Amino acid sequence: MATVHVVGAGLAGLSCALTLAESGVRVVVHEAAPAAGGRCRSFADAALGRMVDNGSHLMLSGNRAVIRHLERTGARDRMTALHPAAFPFLDRATGQCWTLRPGGMWFLDPSRRVPGGGALDHFAALRLLTAPAGATVADVLRPGSPLYARLWAPLAVAGLNGRPERVSARLLGAILRETLLRGEAACRPLFAPDGLSAALVTPALARLEALGAEVRFNARVEGPETADGRVTGFRSGGAAVAAGADDALVLAVPPRAAARLLPGLTVPPPGPAIVNAHFRLDRPAALPGGLPFLGLIGGTAEWLFARGDVLSVTVSAADALAERPAETVAAALWTDCAAVLGRPADAPVPPVRVVKERRATFDQSPTGDAARPPAATRLENLVLAGDWTATGLPATVEGALRSGEAAALVLLGRRTTSSARPGLFQGFTFPGRRHM
Ligand SMILES: Cc1cc2nc3c(=O)[nH]c(=O)nc-3n(C[C@H](O)[C@H](O)[C@H](O)COP(=O)(O)OP(=O)(O)OC[C@H]3O[C@@H](n4cnc5c(N)ncnc54)[C@H](O)[C@@H]3O)c2cc1C
């Protein structure tokens, strides 16, 4: 029986493995780390005595692949949606609070939109949908307007991990198309009360096991050997693995790792760091706006997430912050948190864990976006997956899950096409352009 070896147990690898295993394909997942989840994972932090996520992740109900993933793994109840959709903000300089409430003609109602932003200003964002491939967010929208400072720039930074002068207008347009433009029901923030792994990773591993798929940890894949335009073998955790005539490999690893494994592959350059700090408070955090999260305008902290007594703070496009020592980062972010929570400015910094994710995403500039390869490669039995492949979406959980499904469909399509021939994957013409 043919085997597909999926390299990487991040969300792209897991969704690829699930799609294949549900179609009856024999799957082996090889993960270099001791645990699955990649850039979207939870861990037990001994200093805090709590499970924390490597970084708070904001997903929305319009993320169809996320919903599909939760349903196929029986984990729909591991995430709760904030209903009706609402996005609370606080301006650090003025203390002004507002809550964006998308849905219907929300932008005509001053109490549901950004203060200082007129209805017509909101319409200007439609230009993102038809932006040329080379345009940045700042090229298309109007820097300097209150709406830009209070909505579009923070959205670009959080959604694309880069400054609006740098990141792709088209990619921000993709977020709008999939969420805001589909109405309130597509904009509800999703929260994982027990953490990212409990919602997205552990149930996926259980489902894979039930389907008979094998997942190997501490199994770094190295040096695929190739002959006649196909992979013939590789090493996993130091042991040789032969790839038979009908076997295939999916590289669901980050771009740098993919380029190492497949020399000559074009990959987008790395983007900036994302920094998170998790503070354990002396009581459950209550944020202004009364919701479990808050966008902060004009602070060092950008997004605050409250989960029980843990207050988590996210800063994107944070290369400069990531260079500073953890204590300095914690102190700077706590200053914002203390102000938001109404605590004295000199309140001592509570127990904290700072997580710096360098190269958190690929560089989501127009140039970086143009360098994203499709799933198919020049090698007959090797395909790519990952949030950095050409999904048309930003580097998000949604993009990662869809890339995994797309990679699986390339292989399954090949199997369907070749069903009348010997060899599971022979005779398939790849959809889309090959890249190398
Ligand atoms: C701090 C942070 C905050 C984020 N916030 C959000 C958010 O709010 N909303 C959102 O939607 N997205 C967010 N993202 C992005 C999201 O986490 C990623 O898009 C997604 O997790 C990428 O999944 P992936 O499977 O493509 O890659 P990864 O998660 O990087 O998985 C790749 C896997 O491959 C493994 N690997 C690497 N090399 C090898 C090898 N040679 N052999 C075997 N295994 C190997 C790695 O160990 C890893 O497990 C955030 C990311 C970070 C870092």
Side-chain angles (χ1 to χ4, degrees), residues 7-13 30-33 35 37-40 54-59 219-222 252-254 257 261 274 276 357 360-361 385-388 395-398 400 403:
V7 185
L11 293 175
H30 306 256
E31 168 55 52
R39 280 171 281 153
C40 180
N54 65 317
S56 301
H57 280 52
L58 189 59
M59 285 160 262
R220 178 174 297 283
V221 165
E222 293 165 304
V253 298
L261 289 165
I274 299 179
N276 272 258
E357 287 273 8
T361 63
D387 62 354
W388 54 278
T396 52
V397 169
E398 178 72 7
S403 77

Short mmCIF file of all heavy atoms in Angstrom, two decimals, residues 7-13 30-33 35 37-40 54-59 219-222 252-254 257 261 274 276 357 360-361 385-388 395-398 400 403, ligand 1:
data_model
loop_
_atom_site.label_atom_id
_atom_site.label_comp_id
_atom_site.label_asym_id
_atom_site.label_seq_id
_atom_site.Cartn_x
_atom_site.Cartn_y
_atom_site.Cartn_z
N VAL A 7 5.80 15.68 6.32
CA VAL A 7 6.91 16.19 7.12
C VAL A 7 6.45 17.49 7.79
O VAL A 7 6.21 18.49 7.13
CB VAL A 7 8.15 16.45 6.25
CG1 VAL A 7 9.34 16.86 7.13
CG2 VAL A 7 8.48 15.22 5.42
N GLY A 8 6.32 17.45 9.12
CA GLY A 8 5.86 18.63 9.87
C GLY A 8 4.46 18.41 10.40
O GLY A 8 3.54 18.10 9.64
N ALA A 9 4.31 18.52 11.73
CA ALA A 9 2.98 18.37 12.35
C ALA A 9 2.48 19.71 12.88
O ALA A 9 1.92 19.81 13.96
CB ALA A 9 3.04 17.33 13.47
N GLY A 10 2.72 20.78 12.10
CA GLY A 10 2.00 22.03 12.32
C GLY A 10 0.60 21.86 11.75
O GLY A 10 0.21 20.77 11.33
N LEU A 11 -0.14 22.95 11.70
CA LEU A 11 -1.53 22.81 11.25
C LEU A 11 -1.62 22.43 9.78
O LEU A 11 -2.54 21.71 9.37
CB LEU A 11 -2.31 24.10 11.55
CG LEU A 11 -2.47 24.31 13.06
CD1 LEU A 11 -3.12 25.64 13.35
CD2 LEU A 11 -3.28 23.18 13.69
N ALA A 12 -0.66 22.87 8.96
CA ALA A 12 -0.68 22.48 7.55
C ALA A 12 -0.48 20.97 7.42
O ALA A 12 -1.21 20.29 6.69
CB ALA A 12 0.40 23.24 6.79
N GLY A 13 0.52 20.45 8.14
CA GLY A 13 0.79 19.01 8.07
C GLY A 13 -0.38 18.20 8.62
O GLY A 13 -0.76 17.18 8.05
N HIS A 30 5.99 12.95 10.18
CA HIS A 30 7.32 13.05 10.82
C HIS A 30 7.47 14.46 11.37
O HIS A 30 7.47 15.42 10.60
CB HIS A 30 8.44 12.79 9.80
CG HIS A 30 8.29 11.50 9.04
ND1 HIS A 30 9.06 10.41 9.32
CD2 HIS A 30 7.46 11.15 8.03
CE1 HIS A 30 8.71 9.42 8.50
NE2 HIS A 30 7.74 9.85 7.69
N GLU A 31 7.61 14.59 12.68
CA GLU A 31 7.72 15.90 13.30
C GLU A 31 9.04 16.00 14.05
O GLU A 31 9.35 15.16 14.89
CB GLU A 31 6.53 16.14 14.24
CG GLU A 31 6.66 17.34 15.17
CD GLU A 31 6.94 18.67 14.47
OE1 GLU A 31 6.19 19.03 13.54
OE2 GLU A 31 7.92 19.34 14.86
N ALA A 32 9.80 17.06 13.75
CA ALA A 32 11.12 17.22 14.38
C ALA A 32 11.02 17.48 15.88
O ALA A 32 11.86 17.02 16.66
CB ALA A 32 11.86 18.38 13.70
N ALA A 33 10.00 18.20 16.30
CA ALA A 33 9.86 18.58 17.71
C ALA A 33 9.25 17.42 18.51
O ALA A 33 8.70 16.49 17.93
CB ALA A 33 8.97 19.82 17.81
N ALA A 35 6.58 17.65 20.13
CA ALA A 35 5.12 17.84 20.17
C ALA A 35 4.65 18.44 18.86
O ALA A 35 5.44 18.99 18.10
CB ALA A 35 4.74 18.76 21.33
N GLY A 37 1.93 20.97 16.52
CA GLY A 37 1.33 22.31 16.61
C GLY A 37 2.17 23.40 15.99
O GLY A 37 1.66 24.43 15.60
N GLY A 38 3.50 23.20 15.93
CA GLY A 38 4.37 24.19 15.30
C GLY A 38 4.22 25.56 15.91
O GLY A 38 4.34 25.74 17.13
N ARG A 39 3.89 26.53 15.08
CA ARG A 39 3.77 27.92 15.54
C ARG A 39 2.44 28.21 16.22
O ARG A 39 2.17 29.35 16.58
CB ARG A 39 3.97 28.87 14.36
CG ARG A 39 5.43 29.09 14.00
CD ARG A 39 5.56 29.84 12.71
NE ARG A 39 5.35 28.99 11.55
CZ ARG A 39 4.91 29.41 10.38
NH1 ARG A 39 4.58 30.68 10.22
NH2 ARG A 39 4.78 28.57 9.37
N CYS A 40 1.62 27.20 16.39
CA CYS A 40 0.30 27.39 17.02
C CYS A 40 0.14 26.28 18.06
O CYS A 40 -0.40 25.22 17.78
CB CYS A 40 -0.75 27.28 15.92
SG CYS A 40 -2.44 27.48 16.47
N ASN A 54 1.82 29.70 22.74
CA ASN A 54 3.05 30.40 22.34
C ASN A 54 2.74 31.85 22.00
O ASN A 54 3.51 32.75 22.29
CB ASN A 54 3.72 29.69 21.16
CG ASN A 54 2.90 29.71 19.89
OD1 ASN A 54 1.69 29.51 19.92
ND2 ASN A 54 3.54 29.96 18.77
N GLY A 55 1.57 32.06 21.41
CA GLY A 55 1.11 33.42 21.13
C GLY A 55 -0.40 33.37 21.01
O GLY A 55 -0.94 32.40 20.49
N SER A 56 -1.07 34.41 21.48
CA SER A 56 -2.54 34.44 21.33
C SER A 56 -2.85 34.49 19.84
O SER A 56 -2.21 35.23 19.10
CB SER A 56 -3.11 35.67 22.02
OG SER A 56 -2.76 35.65 23.38
N HIS A 57 -3.79 33.69 19.41
CA HIS A 57 -4.18 33.67 18.00
C HIS A 57 -5.62 34.15 17.88
O HIS A 57 -6.50 33.65 18.58
CB HIS A 57 -4.13 32.24 17.44
CG HIS A 57 -2.74 31.79 17.06
ND1 HIS A 57 -1.66 31.86 17.91
CD2 HIS A 57 -2.27 31.24 15.90
CE1 HIS A 57 -0.59 31.38 17.29
NE2 HIS A 57 -0.93 31.00 16.07
N LEU A 58 -5.86 35.11 17.00
CA LEU A 58 -7.23 35.54 16.74
C LEU A 58 -7.71 34.87 15.46
O LEU A 58 -7.09 35.02 14.41
CB LEU A 58 -7.30 37.07 16.62
CG LEU A 58 -8.72 37.62 16.55
CD1 LEU A 58 -9.51 37.23 17.81
CD2 LEU A 58 -8.71 39.14 16.42
N MET A 59 -8.76 34.09 15.58
CA MET A 59 -9.41 33.51 14.40
C MET A 59 -10.84 34.00 14.38
O MET A 59 -11.37 34.43 15.41
CB MET A 59 -9.36 31.98 14.48
CG MET A 59 -8.00 31.42 14.17
SD MET A 59 -7.80 29.75 14.81
CE MET A 59 -6.92 30.08 16.32
N ALA A 219 11.43 13.38 15.10
CA ALA A 219 11.77 12.73 13.84
C ALA A 219 12.05 13.78 12.77
O ALA A 219 11.24 14.03 11.88
CB ALA A 219 10.62 11.81 13.41
N ARG A 220 13.19 14.44 12.92
CA ARG A 220 13.56 15.46 11.92
C ARG A 220 13.88 14.80 10.60
O ARG A 220 14.63 13.81 10.55
CB ARG A 220 14.77 16.27 12.41
CG ARG A 220 15.26 17.33 11.41
CD ARG A 220 16.37 18.19 11.99
NE ARG A 220 15.90 18.95 13.13
CZ ARG A 220 15.16 20.05 13.06
NH1 ARG A 220 14.81 20.53 11.88
NH2 ARG A 220 14.78 20.67 14.16
N VAL A 221 13.30 15.29 9.54
CA VAL A 221 13.54 14.72 8.21
C VAL A 221 14.70 15.48 7.56
O VAL A 221 14.78 16.70 7.65
CB VAL A 221 12.26 14.80 7.35
CG1 VAL A 221 12.58 14.57 5.87
CG2 VAL A 221 11.26 13.76 7.84
N GLU A 222 15.60 14.71 6.97
CA GLU A 222 16.76 15.30 6.31
C GLU A 222 16.95 14.66 4.95
O GLU A 222 16.52 13.53 4.71
CB GLU A 222 18.03 15.06 7.15
CG GLU A 222 18.02 15.81 8.47
CD GLU A 222 19.06 15.29 9.43
OE1 GLU A 222 19.05 14.08 9.72
OE2 GLU A 222 19.89 16.09 9.86
N ALA A 252 5.58 19.95 4.87
CA ALA A 252 4.73 20.94 5.55
C ALA A 252 5.54 21.62 6.63
O ALA A 252 5.16 21.65 7.80
CB ALA A 252 3.49 20.24 6.12
N VAL A 253 6.70 22.13 6.23
CA VAL A 253 7.65 22.74 7.16
C VAL A 253 7.74 24.23 6.84
O VAL A 253 7.29 24.66 5.79
CB VAL A 253 9.04 22.06 7.02
CG1 VAL A 253 8.96 20.58 7.39
CG2 VAL A 253 9.60 22.23 5.62
N PRO A 254 8.33 25.04 7.71
CA PRO A 254 8.48 26.46 7.40
C PRO A 254 9.38 26.67 6.17
O PRO A 254 10.14 25.77 5.78
CB PRO A 254 9.12 27.04 8.66
CG PRO A 254 8.82 26.04 9.74
CD PRO A 254 8.80 24.71 9.07
N ALA A 257 13.17 25.73 6.21
CA ALA A 257 13.39 24.28 6.27
C ALA A 257 13.09 23.64 4.91
O ALA A 257 13.79 22.73 4.47
CB ALA A 257 12.50 23.68 7.36
N LEU A 261 15.58 21.43 2.50
CA LEU A 261 15.27 20.05 2.10
C LEU A 261 15.19 19.91 0.58
O LEU A 261 15.40 18.83 0.04
CB LEU A 261 13.96 19.61 2.74
CG LEU A 261 14.02 19.36 4.26
CD1 LEU A 261 12.63 19.28 4.86
CD2 LEU A 261 14.80 18.09 4.56
N ILE A 274 7.01 38.07 16.26
CA ILE A 274 5.84 38.42 17.06
C ILE A 274 6.22 38.13 18.50
O ILE A 274 6.78 37.06 18.79
CB ILE A 274 4.59 37.60 16.66
CG1 ILE A 274 4.21 37.86 15.19
CG2 ILE A 274 3.40 37.96 17.57
CD1 ILE A 274 2.99 37.07 14.70
N ASN A 276 5.00 37.85 22.50
CA ASN A 276 3.87 37.71 23.43
C ASN A 276 4.39 37.73 24.86
O ASN A 276 5.48 37.22 25.13
CB ASN A 276 3.15 36.38 23.21
CG ASN A 276 2.06 36.50 22.16
OD1 ASN A 276 0.88 36.59 22.47
ND2 ASN A 276 2.47 36.52 20.90
N GLU A 357 8.73 34.92 19.13
CA GLU A 357 8.72 34.04 17.95
C GLU A 357 9.37 34.80 16.81
O GLU A 357 8.75 35.65 16.17
CB GLU A 357 7.28 33.66 17.57
CG GLU A 357 6.64 32.67 18.51
CD GLU A 357 6.93 31.21 18.14
OE1 GLU A 357 7.75 30.95 17.24
OE2 GLU A 357 6.32 30.33 18.77
N ALA A 360 8.15 34.81 12.70
CA ALA A 360 6.82 34.27 13.04
C ALA A 360 6.02 33.94 11.78
O ALA A 360 5.22 33.00 11.78
CB ALA A 360 6.06 35.27 13.90
N THR A 361 6.23 34.73 10.74
CA THR A 361 5.54 34.50 9.46
C THR A 361 6.53 34.80 8.34
O THR A 361 7.61 35.34 8.60
CB THR A 361 4.34 35.46 9.28
OG1 THR A 361 4.85 36.81 9.25
CG2 THR A 361 3.32 35.32 10.41
N ALA A 385 3.29 22.19 1.54
CA ALA A 385 2.17 22.79 2.28
C ALA A 385 2.78 23.76 3.29
O ALA A 385 3.97 23.72 3.56
CB ALA A 385 1.35 21.71 2.99
N GLY A 386 1.95 24.63 3.83
CA GLY A 386 2.43 25.61 4.81
C GLY A 386 1.78 26.95 4.54
O GLY A 386 1.36 27.23 3.41
N ASP A 387 1.71 27.77 5.59
CA ASP A 387 1.05 29.06 5.44
C ASP A 387 1.75 29.96 4.45
O ASP A 387 1.20 30.96 3.99
CB ASP A 387 0.91 29.75 6.81
CG ASP A 387 2.26 30.05 7.47
OD1 ASP A 387 3.31 29.65 6.94
OD2 ASP A 387 2.25 30.72 8.53
N TRP A 388 2.99 29.63 4.07
CA TRP A 388 3.80 30.45 3.18
C TRP A 388 3.67 30.03 1.71
O TRP A 388 4.25 30.64 0.84
CB TRP A 388 5.28 30.35 3.60
CG TRP A 388 5.74 28.91 3.66
CD1 TRP A 388 5.56 28.04 4.69
CD2 TRP A 388 6.41 28.18 2.64
NE1 TRP A 388 6.08 26.81 4.37
CE2 TRP A 388 6.61 26.87 3.12
CE3 TRP A 388 6.87 28.50 1.36
CZ2 TRP A 388 7.24 25.88 2.37
CZ3 TRP A 388 7.50 27.52 0.61
CH2 TRP A 388 7.67 26.22 1.12
N ALA A 395 -0.42 34.64 6.16
CA ALA A 395 0.14 33.55 6.97
C ALA A 395 -0.69 33.41 8.23
O ALA A 395 -0.40 34.04 9.25
CB ALA A 395 1.59 33.86 7.32
N THR A 396 -1.72 32.62 8.14
CA THR A 396 -2.65 32.44 9.25
C THR A 396 -2.96 30.96 9.41
O THR A 396 -2.63 30.15 8.55
CB THR A 396 -3.98 33.16 8.95
OG1 THR A 396 -4.44 32.72 7.66
CG2 THR A 396 -3.81 34.67 8.95
N VAL A 397 -3.65 30.66 10.50
CA VAL A 397 -4.12 29.29 10.72
C VAL A 397 -5.00 28.86 9.54
O VAL A 397 -4.87 27.75 9.02
CB VAL A 397 -4.92 29.23 12.04
CG1 VAL A 397 -5.64 27.91 12.18
CG2 VAL A 397 -3.99 29.47 13.22
N GLU A 398 -5.87 29.77 9.11
CA GLU A 398 -6.74 29.46 7.98
C GLU A 398 -5.92 29.09 6.73
O GLU A 398 -6.19 28.10 6.07
CB GLU A 398 -7.64 30.67 7.69
CG GLU A 398 -8.58 30.54 6.51
CD GLU A 398 -9.74 29.57 6.76
OE1 GLU A 398 -9.90 29.10 7.90
OE2 GLU A 398 -10.48 29.28 5.81
N ALA A 400 -2.80 28.05 6.65
CA ALA A 400 -2.05 26.80 6.88
C ALA A 400 -2.96 25.59 6.66
O ALA A 400 -2.60 24.63 5.97
CB ALA A 400 -1.48 26.79 8.29
N SER A 403 -3.74 25.16 3.01
CA SER A 403 -2.59 24.69 2.23
C SER A 403 -2.43 23.18 2.38
O SER A 403 -2.07 22.47 1.44
CB SER A 403 -1.31 25.40 2.67
OG SER A 403 -0.84 24.85 3.89
C1 LIG B 1 3.21 34.34 17.79
C2 LIG B 1 2.31 34.03 16.64
C3 LIG B 1 1.03 34.57 16.61
C4 LIG B 1 0.18 34.26 15.56
N1 LIG B 1 -1.08 34.78 15.56
C5 LIG B 1 -1.98 34.35 14.65
C6 LIG B 1 -3.32 34.75 14.71
O1 LIG B 1 -3.70 35.57 15.56
N2 LIG B 1 -4.21 34.24 13.82
C7 LIG B 1 -3.81 33.34 12.86
O2 LIG B 1 -4.67 32.86 12.11
N3 LIG B 1 -2.51 32.98 12.74
C8 LIG B 1 -1.59 33.45 13.60
N4 LIG B 1 -0.28 33.05 13.52
C9 LIG B 1 0.15 32.25 12.36
C10 LIG B 1 -0.12 30.75 12.53
O3 LIG B 1 0.37 30.31 13.77
C11 LIG B 1 0.63 30.03 11.41
O4 LIG B 1 0.18 30.53 10.18
C12 LIG B 1 0.41 28.53 11.40
O5 LIG B 1 0.52 27.96 12.68
C13 LIG B 1 1.46 27.91 10.47
O6 LIG B 1 1.29 26.51 10.39
P1 LIG B 1 2.21 25.64 9.44
O7 LIG B 1 1.81 24.24 9.63
O8 LIG B 1 2.20 26.23 8.07
O9 LIG B 1 3.71 25.86 9.95
P2 LIG B 1 4.38 25.48 11.40
O10 LIG B 1 3.40 25.70 12.48
O11 LIG B 1 5.67 26.24 11.46
O12 LIG B 1 4.67 23.92 11.29
C14 LIG B 1 5.82 23.39 10.69
C15 LIG B 1 6.26 22.16 11.48
O13 LIG B 1 7.35 21.54 10.79
C16 LIG B 1 8.25 21.06 11.75
N5 LIG B 1 9.54 20.88 11.06
C17 LIG B 1 10.40 21.82 10.61
N6 LIG B 1 11.44 21.24 9.98
C18 LIG B 1 11.25 19.89 10.04
C19 LIG B 1 11.96 18.75 9.55
N7 LIG B 1 13.09 18.88 8.85
N8 LIG B 1 11.47 17.51 9.81
C20 LIG B 1 10.30 17.35 10.49
N9 LIG B 1 9.57 18.41 10.97
C21 LIG B 1 10.03 19.66 10.73
C22 LIG B 1 8.25 22.14 12.82
O14 LIG B 1 8.76 21.65 14.05
C23 LIG B 1 6.76 22.48 12.88
O15 LIG B 1 6.06 21.69 13.83
C24 LIG B 1 0.62 33.40 14.51
C25 LIG B 1 1.91 32.87 14.55
C26 LIG B 1 2.76 33.18 15.59
C27 LIG B 1 4.15 32.60 15.59
#
